[in-house]
Amino acid sequence: VQLQASGGGLVQAGGSLRLSCAASGRTFSRYAMTWFRQAPGKEREFVAGISWSGGSTYYADSVKGRFTISRDNAKNTVYLQMDSLKPEDTAVYYCAAGAYSGGVIYTYPIRYTYWGQGTQVTVSS
């Protein structure tokens, strides 16, 4: 699976952005999909995840209620809608895929085999 993230940019605090992650390959629907982010000088952290069917989602406490993850298996794409953005959301955002069935969503980067190249999100105060 090859992943291509897009949609990042510069936005003022309180604004919104929608990230997309397009996947190649015919088995996209078999993968749990997640978004991680990494700010300068910090470790990569889990943001949100969605199960292969889309039936289960999971969010980091820091984004719960503000971000929404979704997927369209017909388009091989996962989305991250980010609302009410804060300066502390500034980071490079990465999508990742893991071949986990059922409702499994892991929050550790080591659990994911395939990664997109990252897209920069900058939130100004």
Side-chain angles (χ1 to χ4, degrees):
V1 177
Q2 292 184 324
L3 305 175
Q4 180 76 31
S6 62
L10 173 63
V11 64
Q12 289 187 333
S16 298
L17 282 173
R18 188 175 83 153
L19 305 184
S20 298
C21 177
S24 63
R26 296 175 291 177
T27 59
F28 173 76
S29 61
R30 299 181 184 177
Y31 289 84
M33 298 297 297
T34 56
W35 289 95
F36 287 80
R37 66 187 181 187
Q38 188 166 18
K42 295 188 176 181
E43 293 186 352
R44 192 167 297 189
E45 65 173 358
F46 173 83
V47 176
I50 188 166
S51 62
W52 65 276
S53 67
S56 297
T57 57
Y58 188 69
Y59 298 91
D61 287 343
S62 59
V63 307
K64 199 173 295 182
R66 300 188 297 122
F67 291 11
T68 303
I69 189 170
S70 62
R71 67 189 296 160
D72 186 337
N73 286 346
K75 296 182 178 179
N76 281 11
T77 303
V78 63
Y79 305 97
L80 185 68
Q81 177 67 42
M82 305 186 295
D83 299 317
S84 303
L85 283 162
K86 304 176 180 180
E88 51 264 43
D89 294 319
T90 295
V92 177
Y93 283 70
Y94 299 89
C95 56
Y100 301 114
S101 60
V104 175
I105 301 168
Y106 292 104
T107 62
Y108 296 100
I110 197 172
R111 288 287 191 172
Y112 293 91
T113 305
Y114 304 101
W115 290 83
Q117 85 288 2
T119 184
Q120 176 70 47
V121 171
T122 302
V123 184
S124 62
S125 57

